[in-house]
Amino acid sequence: MSADDREFALLAVIENLEVHAAHCAKIKDKGGNLVPFIFNRAQTHVHEQLEKQKAETGKVRALILKGRQQGISTYIGERYYHRVSTRLGQSAFIVAHEDKATGNLFQMVKRYNDHNPLAPSTKASNAQELIFGALDAGYK
């Protein structure tokens, strides 16, 4: 692979959430196996709507009423992780209706980071936070 090809591939991972998910995020399938995060139909729909809003208004503001097991929490976790792990000065904070659910969502994000071949170096990584020192960014 040429230097130009590597640069193009790296830019695709940084600029495209779907590419980042497929190449840098691992999720557990129904059997408990780690597999690449390839968007499903519901995730693709939500992603398209959020990106359309971002293109039209420059920002995203959405309330997503969701059914269970559609992977929307997984998608949102990756969306925020992608942002804080590839850009300077970004922060994300996740809260769920119960502490246990918040912990489960955060563990999913830590899994993304643990298996990301392009993960930024961490200043802190524990049960409640990921801090990316060089990026001045984090996920709590």
Side-chain angles (χ1 to χ4, degrees):
M1 182 182 274
S2 72
D4 286 344
D5 289 342
R6 283 193 298 276
E7 184 177 338
F8 180 76
L10 183 57
L11 283 173
V13 167
I14 291 170
E15 296 301 323
N16 187 307
L17 176 61
E18 205 163 354
V19 172
H20 185 274
H23 295 282
C24 298
K26 300 283 189 214
I27 60 172
K28 284 187 179 179
D29 67 10
K30 300 287 184 193
N33 303 304
L34 283 178
V35 297
F37 180 10
I38 307 298
F39 289 1
N40 66 27
R41 186 172 166 208
Q43 292 161 337
T44 298
H45 176 75
V46 169
H47 180 65
E48 288 170 353
Q49 296 304 308
L50 296 183
E51 289 301 305
K52 179 181 174 195
Q53 185 185 80
K54 184 178 173 184
E56 291 172 354
T57 68
K59 60 187 173 190
V60 174
R61 300 290 183 265
L63 295 174
I64 302 170
L65 303 177
K66 61 186 191 71
R68 295 194 39 77
Q69 303 300 313
Q70 292 178 326
I72 302 306
S73 296
T74 303
Y75 165 77
I76 296 297
E78 165 60 7
R79 186 175 179 94
Y80 290 157
Y81 173 73
H82 174 251
R83 186 165 184 98
V84 302
S85 68
T86 60
R87 289 171 177 73
L88 293 171
Q90 300 294 305
S91 297
F93 189 83
I94 191 162
V95 178
H97 66 295
E98 295 177 348
D99 287 344
K100 182 179 178 184
T102 300
N104 289 340
L105 292 171
F106 185 73
Q107 287 306 310
M108 177 181 61
V109 171
K110 282 200 55 153
R111 184 178 309 112
Y112 295 157
N113 193 66
D114 291 345
H115 298 282
N116 179 356
L118 302 174
S121 61
T122 54
K123 181 178 175 182
S125 177
N126 56 52
Q128 296 184 353
E129 65 183 356
L130 279 170
I131 304 298
F132 306 117
L135 292 174
D136 189 26
Y139 201 120
K140 294 182 180 188

